[in-house]
Amino acid sequence: MRPTRILAALALAGLTAAGLASCASSADTRPLIVVSTNILGDVVEELVGDQAQVVTLMKPNADPHSFEISAQEAATLREADLVVSNGLGLEEGLQQHLDAAGADGVATFVAGDAIDVLDYSEGDAEGMPDSHFWTDPARMIDVVDALEPVLAGIDGIDPETLKSTVGDYRGELRTLDSEMSAAFESIPEDRRALVTNHHVFGYLAERFDFDIVGAVIPGGTTLAAPSTSDLADLVTAIEETGVPAIFAESSSPDRLVQALASEASVEVEVIELFTESLTGPDEGAPDYLTMMRVNTDRIATGLTR
């Protein structure tokens, strides 16, 4: 490993999310993989095991649209053996650093390039690519399939060991997909409607046959803001469909969702989901598989009460 990479990794220790806590000492010669979001960071860690250092830039409970990194973290990006990012416009506060790393010749993998991309169908982002593919575990399998040969090509990673860990995790993702299908089948047809902070469930809706009633923030990013007419239209939609629950994302304040629920003339419960960020170890969604299972249970329960 280049000395600059070792120094950068050491400078990160203890300053960022859980993935950074495992940054190696100066004696660690394993390859370095830097990952933008903590959801993808968790997946990459599951795939490579102890064969590589995995540095995750996004802290637990952060907003992927707006989180920023330090100068030391930016330097680590440019020294990595591989940079893994979500793409599709998700990492709005990080994109310049991802671009700079690529311009410096760092190998990159963009998860959004590996999937069948959906476009937003309404709101401020209409016609733009939807970046929230991980709400569909089948698309996460597509990402894992595309990432495996990239990881196998990194010096210091044994392809056969990688094949085994990837196979195990792919099996867990298939199990998750089956569990979600079974859970959502219990929801009556007239209850299969979702309202959330912003448009984050497009892939889940397509995969598991839900209708997106609307979003408090009518766009693909939490950095957008709703207008008075947006909120009025959404209240009308909630009243017409009679949805029993609205889902607020853990990475975004739910004040608008609470206010929206109070405006509707039907009884609406506000339920928190973990949709754009993992949490700390004891906060409900420490890894991708747990996050998806918790969300599945809360959606199924909220829409069948």
Side-chain angles (χ1 to χ4, degrees):
M1 180 181 293
R2 287 171 284 181
T4 50
R5 179 180 303 157
I6 295 171
L7 291 173
L10 288 173
L12 285 171
L15 295 181
T16 55
L20 298 185
S22 62
C23 282
S25 71
S26 58
D28 196 326
T29 59
R30 295 176 300 167
L32 174 63
I33 302 172
V34 177
V35 189
S36 60
T37 70
N38 52 43
I39 291 173
L40 284 174
D42 173 64
V43 173
V44 172
E45 287 181 345
E46 291 288 341
L47 300 183
V48 302
D50 62 2
Q51 292 199 82
Q53 305 173 82
V54 179
V55 170
T56 300
L57 297 174
M58 179 181 161
K59 298 177 178 64
N61 303 305
D63 185 334
H65 299 280
S66 60
F67 83 97
E68 298 179 351
I69 61 175
S70 68
Q72 291 94 336
E73 291 166 329
T76 298
L77 267 174
R78 296 192 295 272
E79 296 295 334
D81 291 287
L82 177 68
V83 172
V84 177
S85 63
N86 189 93
L88 303 175
L90 181 74
E91 300 102 335
E92 297 171 73
L94 185 62
Q95 193 59 52
Q96 61 177 326
H97 300 294
L98 296 172
D99 293 342
D104 281 354
V106 177
T108 61
F109 176 86
V110 181
D113 293 343
I115 66 163
D116 178 17
V117 178
L118 296 179
D119 291 337
Y120 294 110
S121 59
E122 60 181 26
D124 295 346
E126 183 176 357
M128 300 288 287
D130 185 345
S131 58
H132 307 90
F133 67 83
W134 62 84
T135 61
D136 174 9
R139 281 179 168 85
M140 187 62 88
I141 292 173
D142 291 340
V143 171
V144 168
D145 289 346
L147 185 55
E148 180 180 4
V150 178
L151 295 173
I154 298 175
D155 289 342
I157 291 183
D158 176 56
E160 288 304 311
T161 302
L162 179 71
K163 182 178 180 180
S164 176
T165 55
V166 169
D168 290 344
Y169 194 68
R170 187 184 290 115
E172 292 194 58
L173 290 173
R174 288 172 176 159
T175 298
L176 171 67
D177 186 76
S178 297
E179 290 175 358
M180 292 176 68
S181 295
F184 291 147
E185 283 176 1
S186 68
I187 302 173
E189 189 67 30
D190 62 353
R191 293 289 187 92
R192 303 178 72 84
L194 298 172
V195 180
T196 187
N197 285 62
H198 77 283
H199 289 295
V200 71
F201 286 119
Y203 291 96
L204 183 146
E206 183 202 51
R207 174 69 182 81
F208 299 107
D209 193 26
F210 283 89
D211 290 326
I212 304 295
V213 173
V216 177
I217 300 173
T221 169
T222 53
L223 303 183
S227 67
T228 301
S229 62
D230 291 329
L231 294 175
D233 290 344
L234 195 48
V235 167
T236 299
I238 291 171
E239 292 173 344
E240 290 178 349
T241 59
V243 293
I246 299 173
F247 300 99
E249 300 164 69
S250 61
S251 64
S252 302
D254 70 349
R255 292 188 301 274
L256 286 175
V257 177
Q258 296 282 359
L260 181 65
S262 69
E263 289 293 326
S265 61
V266 294
E267 182 182 350
V268 179
E269 182 181 5
V270 178
I271 299 173
E272 182 183 68
L273 298 181
F274 305 103
T275 56
E276 293 204 297
S277 177
L278 301 183
T279 68
D282 302 317
E283 298 175 288
D287 59 75
Y288 172 69
L289 296 175
T290 300
M291 179 189 80
M292 295 296 288
R293 290 189 168 104
V294 169
N295 289 342
T296 297
D297 179 69
R298 292 183 181 182
I299 290 171
T301 301
L303 295 180
T304 55
R305 66 176 181 83

